[in-house]
Amino acid sequence: MSATTTRKANMPSDTATFAERATDTFTIAVEAFVWGYPLVLMERTKKLFTQQGSRLGSPVNQFRHRAKLATPREREIVKPNNDTLYSTAWLDLSRGPVILEVPEVDGRYYSFQFLDAYTNTWAYVGSRTTGTAAGRHLVVGPHWSGKSSDHPGVPVLTAPTDSVWLLGRTIVDGEHDLKAASDVMARYRLTPAVESDRAEYWSTGPVASPHDIGASGIAFFDELGAALELNPAPASEKGLLERFASIGIGPECRPAGNSTGVTRLAFEQAVQFGDRLLDCRESTGGKKNADKATGWSYDLDIGTYGQNYLLRAIIARHGLGALTAEEAVYASTRLDADGIRLSGDHAYRLHFDADRLPPVDAFWSLTVYDEENFLVANVIDRYAIGDRTPGLTYASDGSLDLLVQHTEPADGPSNWLPAPAGKFELTLRFYEPRQEMLEGTYALPPIERH
Protein backbone atom coordinates (compact mmCIF):
# COMPACT_ATOMS: atom_id res chain seq x y z
CA MET A 1 0.00 0.00 0.00
CA SER A 2 1.39 3.42 -0.94
CA ALA A 3 2.01 6.17 1.60
CA THR A 4 -0.78 8.22 0.01
CA THR A 5 -3.22 5.33 0.32
CA THR A 6 -2.16 4.78 3.93
CA ARG A 7 -2.77 8.42 4.85
CA LYS A 8 -6.19 8.34 3.19
CA ALA A 9 -7.05 5.14 5.01
CA ASN A 10 -6.13 6.74 8.33
CA MET A 11 -8.04 9.93 7.61
CA PRO A 12 -11.45 10.30 9.26
CA SER A 13 -14.15 9.43 6.73
CA ASP A 14 -15.91 12.79 6.96
CA THR A 15 -12.63 14.67 6.43
CA ALA A 16 -11.69 12.46 3.48
CA THR A 17 -15.09 13.01 1.90
CA PHE A 18 -14.82 16.76 2.45
CA ALA A 19 -11.33 16.89 0.89
CA GLU A 20 -12.35 14.76 -2.09
CA ARG A 21 -15.40 16.90 -2.74
CA ALA A 22 -13.41 20.12 -2.48
CA THR A 23 -10.73 18.78 -4.82
CA ASP A 24 -13.23 17.65 -7.45
CA THR A 25 -15.13 20.94 -7.32
CA PHE A 26 -11.92 22.96 -7.50
CA THR A 27 -10.63 20.96 -10.49
CA ILE A 28 -13.83 21.35 -12.50
CA ALA A 29 -14.08 25.05 -11.59
CA VAL A 30 -10.53 25.68 -12.83
CA GLU A 31 -11.42 23.95 -16.10
CA ALA A 32 -14.53 26.14 -16.37
CA PHE A 33 -12.52 29.29 -15.68
CA VAL A 34 -9.95 28.51 -18.37
CA TRP A 35 -12.61 27.41 -20.85
CA GLY A 36 -14.88 30.38 -20.18
CA TYR A 37 -12.31 33.15 -19.73
CA PRO A 38 -12.28 34.16 -23.44
CA LEU A 39 -16.09 34.32 -23.52
CA VAL A 40 -16.26 36.57 -20.45
CA LEU A 41 -13.37 38.70 -21.76
CA MET A 42 -15.12 39.22 -25.10
CA GLU A 43 -18.38 40.18 -23.41
CA ARG A 44 -16.61 42.73 -21.21
CA THR A 45 -14.66 44.12 -24.16
CA LYS A 46 -17.82 44.38 -26.23
CA LYS A 47 -19.57 46.38 -23.50
CA LEU A 48 -16.54 48.65 -23.17
CA PHE A 49 -16.51 49.40 -26.89
CA THR A 50 -20.26 49.81 -27.31
CA GLN A 51 -21.12 51.91 -24.25
CA GLN A 52 -22.58 55.31 -25.04
CA GLY A 53 -20.43 58.10 -23.68
CA SER A 54 -17.21 56.09 -23.85
CA ARG A 55 -14.42 57.65 -25.88
CA LEU A 56 -14.18 54.26 -27.58
CA GLY A 57 -17.91 54.12 -28.11
CA SER A 58 -19.79 53.09 -31.19
CA PRO A 59 -23.15 51.30 -31.33
CA VAL A 60 -23.45 47.57 -31.93
CA ASN A 61 -23.47 46.82 -35.68
CA GLN A 62 -21.67 50.06 -36.56
CA PHE A 63 -18.02 50.71 -37.41
CA ARG A 64 -15.68 52.79 -35.35
CA HIS A 65 -12.64 53.82 -37.38
CA ARG A 66 -9.45 54.94 -35.73
CA ALA A 67 -7.76 57.28 -38.21
CA LYS A 68 -4.46 57.41 -36.35
CA LEU A 69 -1.83 54.91 -35.31
CA ALA A 70 -1.78 53.40 -31.82
CA THR A 71 0.25 55.19 -29.13
CA PRO A 72 1.15 54.46 -25.47
CA ARG A 73 -1.95 56.37 -24.38
CA GLU A 74 -4.21 53.54 -25.56
CA ARG A 75 -4.46 50.80 -22.96
CA GLU A 76 -7.72 49.08 -23.82
CA ILE A 77 -6.28 46.30 -26.03
CA VAL A 78 -2.98 44.59 -25.26
CA LYS A 79 -0.19 44.46 -27.87
CA PRO A 80 -1.66 46.87 -30.44
CA ASN A 81 0.30 47.12 -33.66
CA ASN A 82 1.72 50.43 -34.89
CA ASP A 83 1.51 49.48 -38.57
CA THR A 84 -2.16 49.74 -39.39
CA LEU A 85 -5.24 51.78 -38.68
CA TYR A 86 -7.96 49.87 -36.86
CA SER A 87 -11.63 49.52 -37.70
CA THR A 88 -13.80 47.77 -35.14
CA ALA A 89 -17.42 46.69 -35.04
CA TRP A 90 -19.31 44.46 -32.65
CA LEU A 91 -22.05 42.58 -34.46
CA ASP A 92 -25.24 41.20 -32.97
CA LEU A 93 -26.52 38.84 -35.65
CA SER A 94 -29.48 37.73 -33.55
CA ARG A 95 -31.16 40.86 -34.91
CA GLY A 96 -30.59 39.83 -38.52
CA PRO A 97 -27.73 39.66 -41.04
CA VAL A 98 -25.54 42.60 -41.98
CA ILE A 99 -23.72 43.43 -45.18
CA LEU A 100 -20.04 44.36 -45.11
CA GLU A 101 -19.08 46.52 -48.08
CA VAL A 102 -15.44 47.24 -48.96
CA PRO A 103 -14.06 49.56 -51.68
CA GLU A 104 -11.30 49.09 -54.23
CA VAL A 105 -8.09 49.66 -52.25
CA ASP A 106 -5.58 49.97 -55.12
CA GLY A 107 -3.27 47.21 -53.89
CA ARG A 108 -3.15 48.43 -50.29
CA TYR A 109 -2.92 45.75 -47.59
CA TYR A 110 -6.06 45.45 -45.48
CA SER A 111 -7.87 42.69 -43.62
CA PHE A 112 -11.12 42.19 -41.76
CA GLN A 113 -10.86 39.46 -39.16
CA PHE A 114 -14.05 37.84 -37.86
CA LEU A 115 -13.90 36.48 -34.30
CA ASP A 116 -16.69 34.61 -32.58
CA ALA A 117 -17.69 35.09 -28.95
CA TYR A 118 -15.05 32.57 -27.86
CA THR A 119 -12.19 34.44 -29.67
CA ASN A 120 -11.93 31.89 -32.48
CA THR A 121 -11.13 33.47 -35.85
CA TRP A 122 -13.58 32.00 -38.35
CA ALA A 123 -13.28 34.14 -41.51
CA TYR A 124 -11.38 36.93 -43.29
CA VAL A 125 -12.19 39.53 -45.87
CA GLY A 126 -9.11 41.31 -47.19
CA SER A 127 -6.27 41.57 -49.65
CA ARG A 128 -4.97 38.03 -48.96
CA THR A 129 -8.30 36.21 -49.07
CA THR A 130 -10.73 38.18 -51.23
CA GLY A 131 -8.40 40.54 -53.11
CA THR A 132 -8.24 44.31 -53.31
CA ALA A 133 -11.28 44.91 -55.54
CA ALA A 134 -14.55 46.31 -54.22
CA GLY A 135 -16.95 43.75 -52.78
CA ARG A 136 -19.99 43.00 -50.63
CA HIS A 137 -20.32 40.17 -48.08
CA LEU A 138 -23.43 38.95 -46.25
CA VAL A 139 -22.69 38.10 -42.59
CA VAL A 140 -25.30 35.86 -40.96
CA GLY A 141 -25.75 34.24 -37.57
CA PRO A 142 -25.79 30.52 -36.77
CA HIS A 143 -29.60 30.34 -36.78
CA TRP A 144 -30.24 32.37 -39.94
CA SER A 145 -33.08 30.91 -41.99
CA GLY A 146 -32.99 33.30 -44.93
CA LYS A 147 -32.06 32.57 -48.54
CA SER A 148 -28.80 33.51 -50.18
CA SER A 149 -30.80 33.96 -53.40
CA ASP A 150 -32.24 37.11 -51.84
CA HIS A 151 -28.76 38.60 -52.23
CA PRO A 152 -27.54 37.33 -55.63
CA GLY A 153 -23.81 37.37 -56.16
CA VAL A 154 -23.05 38.23 -52.52
CA PRO A 155 -20.88 35.67 -50.67
CA VAL A 156 -22.38 34.46 -47.38
CA LEU A 157 -20.28 34.28 -44.21
CA THR A 158 -21.97 32.21 -41.47
CA ALA A 159 -20.84 33.00 -37.93
CA PRO A 160 -20.62 30.31 -35.23
CA THR A 161 -22.12 32.72 -32.65
CA ASP A 162 -24.51 35.66 -32.82
CA SER A 163 -21.88 37.93 -31.26
CA VAL A 164 -19.02 38.71 -33.62
CA TRP A 165 -16.06 41.02 -33.29
CA LEU A 166 -15.13 42.44 -36.68
CA LEU A 167 -11.58 43.76 -36.48
CA GLY A 168 -10.18 45.59 -39.49
CA ARG A 169 -6.60 46.62 -40.22
CA THR A 170 -5.55 49.02 -42.99
CA ILE A 171 -1.85 49.58 -43.62
CA VAL A 172 -0.29 53.03 -43.26
CA ASP A 173 3.07 53.79 -44.83
CA GLY A 174 3.98 56.57 -42.42
CA GLU A 175 2.41 59.89 -41.47
CA HIS A 176 2.30 61.06 -45.10
CA ASP A 177 -0.03 58.14 -45.91
CA LEU A 178 -2.55 58.72 -43.13
CA LYS A 179 -5.04 60.70 -45.20
CA ALA A 180 -5.10 58.18 -48.06
CA ALA A 181 -5.53 55.28 -45.64
CA SER A 182 -8.25 57.15 -43.77
CA ASP A 183 -10.10 57.78 -47.04
CA VAL A 184 -10.13 54.01 -47.66
CA MET A 185 -11.46 53.36 -44.17
CA ALA A 186 -14.25 55.90 -44.61
CA ARG A 187 -15.63 53.74 -47.43
CA TYR A 188 -15.99 50.58 -45.34
CA ARG A 189 -19.71 50.09 -44.72
CA LEU A 190 -21.94 47.99 -42.45
CA THR A 191 -25.66 47.97 -43.21
CA PRO A 192 -28.57 45.70 -42.25
CA ALA A 193 -29.33 43.13 -44.94
CA VAL A 194 -33.02 43.87 -44.49
CA GLU A 195 -33.87 47.54 -44.14
CA SER A 196 -36.56 46.88 -41.56
CA ASP A 197 -34.13 45.13 -39.21
CA ARG A 198 -32.87 47.23 -36.33
CA ALA A 199 -29.16 47.48 -36.96
CA GLU A 200 -27.64 49.73 -34.30
CA TYR A 201 -27.96 50.05 -30.54
CA TRP A 202 -25.83 50.90 -27.52
CA SER A 203 -24.91 48.50 -24.72
CA THR A 204 -26.33 49.33 -21.32
CA GLY A 205 -25.48 48.48 -17.74
CA PRO A 206 -22.24 48.55 -15.77
CA VAL A 207 -18.93 48.03 -17.57
CA ALA A 208 -16.26 45.92 -15.89
CA SER A 209 -12.64 46.17 -16.97
CA PRO A 210 -11.44 43.40 -19.31
CA HIS A 211 -8.05 43.52 -17.57
CA ASP A 212 -9.00 42.40 -14.06
CA ILE A 213 -11.31 39.46 -14.59
CA GLY A 214 -9.50 37.46 -11.92
CA ALA A 215 -10.43 40.06 -9.31
CA SER A 216 -14.13 39.26 -9.70
CA GLY A 217 -13.80 36.06 -7.69
CA ILE A 218 -16.80 33.74 -7.67
CA ALA A 219 -18.81 36.37 -9.60
CA PHE A 220 -16.80 35.29 -12.66
CA PHE A 221 -19.04 32.24 -12.93
CA ASP A 222 -22.15 34.45 -12.86
CA GLU A 223 -20.73 36.37 -15.83
CA LEU A 224 -19.96 33.11 -17.57
CA GLY A 225 -23.51 31.88 -17.11
CA ALA A 226 -24.94 35.10 -18.55
CA ALA A 227 -22.52 35.03 -21.48
CA LEU A 228 -23.46 31.41 -22.28
CA GLU A 229 -27.11 32.42 -22.50
CA LEU A 230 -26.22 34.98 -25.17
CA ASN A 231 -23.79 32.76 -27.07
CA PRO A 232 -24.31 29.04 -26.33
CA ALA A 233 -21.38 26.69 -26.65
CA PRO A 234 -21.21 24.52 -29.79
CA ALA A 235 -22.96 21.15 -29.63
CA SER A 236 -19.58 19.41 -29.80
CA GLU A 237 -18.82 20.68 -26.28
CA LYS A 238 -21.98 19.30 -24.68
CA GLY A 239 -19.90 16.96 -22.49
CA LEU A 240 -17.90 19.85 -21.07
CA LEU A 241 -21.02 21.85 -20.28
CA GLU A 242 -22.50 18.84 -18.49
CA ARG A 243 -19.32 18.52 -16.43
CA PHE A 244 -19.49 22.19 -15.44
CA ALA A 245 -23.20 21.89 -14.68
CA SER A 246 -22.45 19.08 -12.21
CA ILE A 247 -21.05 21.71 -9.82
CA GLY A 248 -23.51 24.49 -10.68
CA ILE A 249 -21.70 26.37 -13.48
CA GLY A 250 -23.43 27.13 -16.77
CA PRO A 251 -26.36 28.95 -18.39
CA GLU A 252 -28.96 30.15 -15.89
CA CYS A 253 -26.53 29.43 -13.04
CA ARG A 254 -25.47 32.24 -10.69
CA PRO A 255 -23.10 30.65 -8.14
CA ALA A 256 -22.21 33.93 -6.41
CA GLY A 257 -25.64 34.05 -4.81
CA ASN A 258 -26.26 30.35 -4.37
CA SER A 259 -22.99 28.70 -3.38
CA THR A 260 -21.97 28.11 0.23
CA GLY A 261 -19.41 26.21 2.24
CA VAL A 262 -16.85 24.05 0.47
CA THR A 263 -18.30 24.75 -2.98
CA ARG A 264 -17.98 28.50 -2.56
CA LEU A 265 -14.44 28.15 -1.22
CA ALA A 266 -13.45 25.92 -4.15
CA PHE A 267 -14.91 28.41 -6.65
CA GLU A 268 -13.02 31.33 -5.09
CA GLN A 269 -9.74 29.41 -5.08
CA ALA A 270 -10.29 28.18 -8.64
CA VAL A 271 -10.59 31.74 -9.98
CA GLN A 272 -7.38 32.77 -8.21
CA PHE A 273 -5.52 29.72 -9.47
CA GLY A 274 -6.88 29.97 -13.01
CA ASP A 275 -6.01 33.65 -13.22
CA ARG A 276 -2.42 32.95 -12.20
CA LEU A 277 -2.28 30.04 -14.64
CA LEU A 278 -2.99 32.36 -17.56
CA ASP A 279 0.20 34.27 -16.80
CA CYS A 280 2.21 31.07 -17.42
CA ARG A 281 2.55 31.16 -21.18
CA GLU A 282 4.73 28.06 -21.47
CA SER A 283 3.55 24.50 -22.14
CA THR A 284 0.21 25.43 -23.67
CA GLY A 285 0.31 22.55 -26.12
CA GLY A 286 0.00 24.70 -29.23
CA LYS A 287 2.14 24.37 -32.33
CA LYS A 288 4.83 26.53 -30.81
CA ASN A 289 8.14 27.24 -32.48
CA ALA A 290 10.80 28.16 -29.97
CA ASP A 291 14.49 28.74 -30.55
CA LYS A 292 16.40 28.40 -27.30
CA ALA A 293 19.51 29.84 -28.96
CA THR A 294 17.78 33.13 -29.84
CA GLY A 295 14.90 33.34 -27.34
CA TRP A 296 12.21 33.86 -29.98
CA SER A 297 8.98 31.86 -29.91
CA TYR A 298 5.68 31.95 -31.76
CA ASP A 299 2.46 29.94 -31.97
CA LEU A 300 1.04 28.75 -35.27
CA ASP A 301 -2.30 27.72 -33.74
CA ILE A 302 -3.45 31.21 -32.74
CA GLY A 303 -7.09 31.75 -33.62
CA THR A 304 -7.80 28.08 -34.44
CA TYR A 305 -7.52 26.40 -31.08
CA GLY A 306 -9.58 23.24 -31.36
CA GLN A 307 -9.71 21.80 -27.84
CA ASN A 308 -6.62 23.61 -26.59
CA TYR A 309 -8.62 25.82 -24.24
CA LEU A 310 -5.57 26.86 -22.21
CA LEU A 311 -3.85 28.28 -25.30
CA ARG A 312 -7.08 30.03 -26.27
CA ALA A 313 -7.36 31.66 -22.85
CA ILE A 314 -3.70 32.67 -22.71
CA ILE A 315 -3.83 34.30 -26.15
CA ALA A 316 -7.04 36.09 -25.16
CA ARG A 317 -5.28 37.36 -22.04
CA HIS A 318 -2.04 38.47 -23.70
CA GLY A 319 -2.93 39.11 -27.35
CA LEU A 320 -6.69 39.48 -27.86
CA GLY A 321 -7.50 39.81 -31.55
CA ALA A 322 -4.24 38.26 -32.75
CA LEU A 323 -4.41 37.20 -36.39
CA THR A 324 -4.09 33.56 -37.44
CA ALA A 325 -0.75 32.40 -38.81
CA GLU A 326 -1.81 32.52 -42.47
CA GLU A 327 -2.48 36.25 -42.09
CA ALA A 328 0.29 37.15 -39.67
CA VAL A 329 2.83 35.46 -37.40
CA TYR A 330 3.90 37.12 -34.15
CA ALA A 331 7.31 36.11 -32.82
CA SER A 332 8.03 37.41 -29.32
CA THR A 333 10.79 37.28 -26.77
CA ARG A 334 11.74 38.74 -23.41
CA LEU A 335 15.27 37.32 -23.54
CA ASP A 336 18.46 38.14 -25.39
CA ALA A 337 20.70 35.53 -27.08
CA ASP A 338 22.31 34.74 -23.71
CA GLY A 339 18.96 34.01 -22.08
CA ILE A 340 19.04 37.23 -20.02
CA ARG A 341 15.94 39.40 -19.59
CA LEU A 342 15.71 42.31 -22.03
CA SER A 343 16.24 45.62 -20.24
CA GLY A 344 16.88 49.25 -21.04
CA ASP A 345 20.11 48.90 -19.08
CA HIS A 346 21.63 47.35 -22.20
CA ALA A 347 21.77 48.01 -25.95
CA TYR A 348 20.82 45.30 -28.45
CA ARG A 349 21.32 44.55 -32.14
CA LEU A 350 19.28 42.39 -34.53
CA HIS A 351 21.22 41.55 -37.69
CA PHE A 352 19.47 40.30 -40.84
CA ASP A 353 21.60 38.98 -43.70
CA ALA A 354 20.52 40.24 -47.11
CA ASP A 355 19.06 36.84 -48.02
CA ARG A 356 17.48 36.31 -44.59
CA LEU A 357 15.22 39.35 -44.25
CA PRO A 358 11.79 38.49 -42.82
CA PRO A 359 9.96 36.32 -45.42
CA VAL A 360 6.64 38.07 -46.12
CA ASP A 361 4.37 38.90 -49.03
CA ALA A 362 2.95 42.00 -47.31
CA PHE A 363 5.23 43.64 -44.72
CA TRP A 364 7.07 43.12 -41.42
CA SER A 365 7.74 45.16 -38.29
CA LEU A 366 9.42 45.03 -34.87
CA THR A 367 7.66 46.52 -31.83
CA VAL A 368 8.67 47.14 -28.20
CA TYR A 369 6.16 46.55 -25.39
CA ASP A 370 6.40 47.12 -21.66
CA GLU A 371 5.82 44.36 -19.11
CA GLU A 372 2.06 44.84 -19.37
CA ASN A 373 2.11 44.46 -23.19
CA PHE A 374 1.47 48.11 -24.02
CA LEU A 375 3.45 50.53 -26.21
CA VAL A 376 6.19 52.58 -24.58
CA ALA A 377 6.54 56.37 -24.86
CA ASN A 378 9.85 57.62 -26.27
CA VAL A 379 11.51 60.84 -27.42
CA ILE A 380 11.13 60.24 -31.17
CA ASP A 381 7.57 58.80 -31.05
CA ARG A 382 8.67 55.63 -32.81
CA TYR A 383 6.87 52.53 -31.60
CA ALA A 384 7.73 50.11 -34.40
CA ILE A 385 10.42 49.74 -37.04
CA GLY A 386 10.28 47.69 -40.23
CA ASP A 387 10.54 47.49 -43.98
CA ARG A 388 8.39 50.63 -44.42
CA THR A 389 10.23 52.83 -41.90
CA PRO A 390 11.39 56.03 -43.66
CA GLY A 391 15.17 56.42 -43.75
CA LEU A 392 15.97 52.83 -42.75
CA THR A 393 19.63 52.21 -43.62
CA TYR A 394 20.88 48.97 -45.18
CA ALA A 395 24.54 47.98 -45.44
CA SER A 396 26.29 47.86 -48.80
CA ASP A 397 25.79 44.08 -48.94
CA GLY A 398 22.04 44.45 -48.39
CA SER A 399 22.08 43.32 -44.77
CA LEU A 400 20.19 45.19 -42.07
CA ASP A 401 20.95 46.00 -38.42
CA LEU A 402 18.19 47.12 -36.07
CA LEU A 403 19.26 48.75 -32.80
CA VAL A 404 17.06 48.43 -29.72
CA GLN A 405 18.14 50.55 -26.75
CA HIS A 406 16.98 53.23 -24.34
CA THR A 407 19.26 56.04 -25.55
CA GLU A 408 19.85 57.17 -29.13
CA PRO A 409 22.69 55.28 -30.88
CA ALA A 410 25.88 57.13 -31.77
CA ASP A 411 25.11 56.65 -35.49
CA GLY A 412 21.76 58.41 -35.17
CA PRO A 413 18.12 57.32 -35.07
CA SER A 414 17.66 55.83 -38.57
CA ASN A 415 17.69 52.18 -37.43
CA TRP A 416 16.80 52.79 -33.78
CA LEU A 417 13.82 51.33 -31.99
CA PRO A 418 13.65 53.07 -28.59
CA ALA A 419 13.28 50.83 -25.53
CA PRO A 420 12.07 51.75 -22.04
CA ALA A 421 14.46 52.16 -19.13
CA GLY A 422 13.15 49.00 -17.49
CA LYS A 423 12.28 45.51 -18.68
CA PHE A 424 10.54 45.02 -22.01
CA GLU A 425 9.39 42.54 -24.66
CA LEU A 426 9.95 42.49 -28.43
CA THR A 427 7.44 41.31 -31.02
CA LEU A 428 8.40 40.73 -34.66
CA ARG A 429 5.35 40.67 -36.94
CA PHE A 430 5.24 38.92 -40.32
CA TYR A 431 2.18 39.93 -42.37
CA GLU A 432 1.24 37.37 -45.02
CA PRO A 433 4.19 35.17 -44.02
CA ARG A 434 5.77 32.90 -46.60
CA GLN A 435 5.94 29.13 -46.33
CA GLU A 436 9.29 28.96 -44.54
CA MET A 437 7.80 31.00 -41.70
CA LEU A 438 4.70 28.83 -41.51
CA GLU A 439 6.79 25.66 -41.60
CA GLY A 440 9.13 26.94 -38.89
CA THR A 441 12.25 26.71 -41.05
CA TYR A 442 13.08 30.42 -41.03
CA ALA A 443 15.79 31.19 -38.46
CA LEU A 444 15.06 34.40 -36.58
CA PRO A 445 18.12 36.50 -35.71
CA PRO A 446 19.54 36.44 -32.18
CA ILE A 447 19.17 39.57 -30.06
CA GLU A 448 22.77 40.41 -29.30
CA ARG A 449 24.02 42.80 -26.67
CA HIS A 450 26.48 45.33 -28.04
Side-chain angles (χ1 to χ4, degrees):
M1 182 180 293
S2 70
T4 301
T5 305
T6 301
R7 284 194 299 271
K8 187 173 181 180
N10 293 333
M11 186 181 295
S13 60
D14 56 341
T15 305
T17 300
F18 181 90
E20 184 175 355
R21 177 184 165 199
T23 300
D24 290 347
T25 302
F26 171 82
T27 300
I28 296 172
V30 170
E31 292 174 6
F33 179 86
V34 170
W35 180 88
Y37 180 91
L39 180 59
V40 172
L41 176 67
M42 286 287 273
E43 187 63 22
R44 286 193 180 195
T45 306
K46 175 183 177 179
K47 286 185 177 180
L48 178 66
F49 275 78
T50 58
Q51 194 80 6
Q52 193 165 19
S54 167
R55 71 180 185 85
L56 301 172
S58 63
V60 173
N61 290 338
Q62 185 180 106
F63 270 129
R64 178 184 184 273
H65 301 302
R66 181 175 178 80
K68 59 181 180 179
L69 292 170
T71 72
R73 291 186 294 276
E74 284 74 53
R75 300 180 72 84
E76 288 79 25
I77 299 296
V78 294
K79 281 200 169 182
N81 78 55
N82 195 248
D83 306 298
T84 69
L85 303 180
Y86 281 104
S87 300
T88 59
W90 292 86
L91 309 183
D92 179 0
L93 300 175
S94 69
R95 296 169 178 259
V98 298
I99 291 178
L100 168 65
E101 187 173 355
V102 296
E104 163 64 52
V105 297
D106 299 321
R108 180 184 295 273
Y109 171 86
Y110 84 102
S111 68
F112 279 105
Q113 175 189 16
F114 292 78
L115 297 99
D116 69 15
Y118 294 81
T119 72
N120 301 298
T121 296
W122 57 273
Y124 284 101
V125 168
S127 50
R128 178 182 64 88
T129 53
T130 56
T132 58
R136 302 172 80 235
H137 306 268
L138 181 67
V139 188
V140 306
H143 309 297
W144 182 61
S145 58
K147 298 178 181 179
S148 58
S149 58
D150 293 337
H151 305 275
V154 180
V156 178
L157 301 174
T158 303
T161 58
D162 279 323
S163 290
V164 171
W165 187 20
L166 181 54
L167 183 54
R169 298 166 172 89
T170 305
I171 193 173
V172 179
D173 288 331
E175 291 292 329
H176 69 280
D177 190 39
L178 271 174
K179 184 180 185 307
S182 298
D183 289 345
V184 169
M185 288 174 53
R187 288 179 284 153
Y188 299 144
R189 295 278 190 275
L190 275 175
T191 55
V194 179
E195 288 188 11
S196 60
D197 286 344
R198 181 185 176 192
E200 303 169 7
Y201 67 92
W202 294 96
S203 293
T204 58
V207 179
S209 170
H211 302 307
D212 62 359
I213 288 175
S216 60
I218 192 174
F220 168 85
F221 297 110
D222 288 13
E223 289 189 66
L224 178 57
L228 280 166
E229 291 162 19
L230 294 173
N231 291 284
S236 60
E237 297 186 350
K238 178 182 177 182
L240 265 179
L241 270 292
E242 290 176 347
R243 179 169 168 81
F244 301 156
S246 70
I247 62 168
I249 294 173
E252 301 180 5
C253 294
R254 301 296 186 269
N258 300 319
S259 301
T260 59
V262 63
T263 300
R264 189 176 192 88
L265 177 62
F267 282 174
E268 294 282 4
Q269 294 298 315
V271 171
Q272 291 183 36
F273 180 85
D275 194 55
R276 293 289 298 276
L277 182 63
L278 299 190
D279 283 330
C280 302
R281 287 182 272 185
E282 298 80 13
S283 304
T284 58
K287 188 179 177 183
K288 180 182 286 291
N289 285 67
D291 189 336
K292 292 182 179 179
T294 63
W296 293 104
S297 66
Y298 55 94
D299 287 296
L300 296 177
D301 288 337
I302 289 176
T304 51
Y305 306 105
Q307 294 182 331
N308 192 341
Y309 305 121
L310 179 56
L311 176 62
R312 184 177 72 178
I314 287 174
I315 297 301
R317 170 75 154 259
H318 299 282
L320 181 63
L323 295 161
T324 54
E326 295 80 8
E327 192 71 31
V329 169
Y330 308 85
S332 295
T333 184
R334 295 186 170 196
L335 306 175
D336 65 19
D338 296 321
I340 300 173
R341 188 72 166 84
L342 297 174
S343 169
D345 293 334
H346 306 287
Y348 304 93
R349 182 186 76 144
L350 276 75
H351 174 80
F352 296 90
D353 290 335
D355 61 349
R356 301 300 296 166
L357 291 168
V360 294
D361 288 327
F363 63 95
W364 62 268
S365 68
L366 179 71
T367 309
V368 164
Y369 295 100
D370 64 19
E371 290 195 276
E372 295 179 321
N373 291 316
F374 296 114
L375 297 174
V376 180
N378 61 79
V379 295
I380 61 172
D381 290 331
R382 177 180 288 171
Y383 309 111
I385 194 169
D387 55 0
R388 298 164 298 108
T389 300
L392 199 64
T393 301
Y394 292 77
S396 58
D397 62 357
S399 64
L400 176 66
D401 284 344
L402 300 181
L403 304 177
V404 183
Q405 56 194 71
H406 183 55
T407 58
E408 183 174 334
D411 293 338
S414 61
N415 291 23
W416 176 36
L417 180 59
K423 296 176 181 178
F424 63 89
E425 178 172 325
L426 289 173
T427 294
L428 186 57
R429 286 178 167 85
F430 303 74
Y431 285 81
E432 295 187 21
R434 294 177 184 160
Q435 204 59 32
E436 59 262 44
M437 194 70 219
L438 297 175
E439 292 174 351
T441 58
Y442 174 73
L444 280 76
I447 303 170
E448 302 170 328
R449 266 196 263 176
H450 76 102

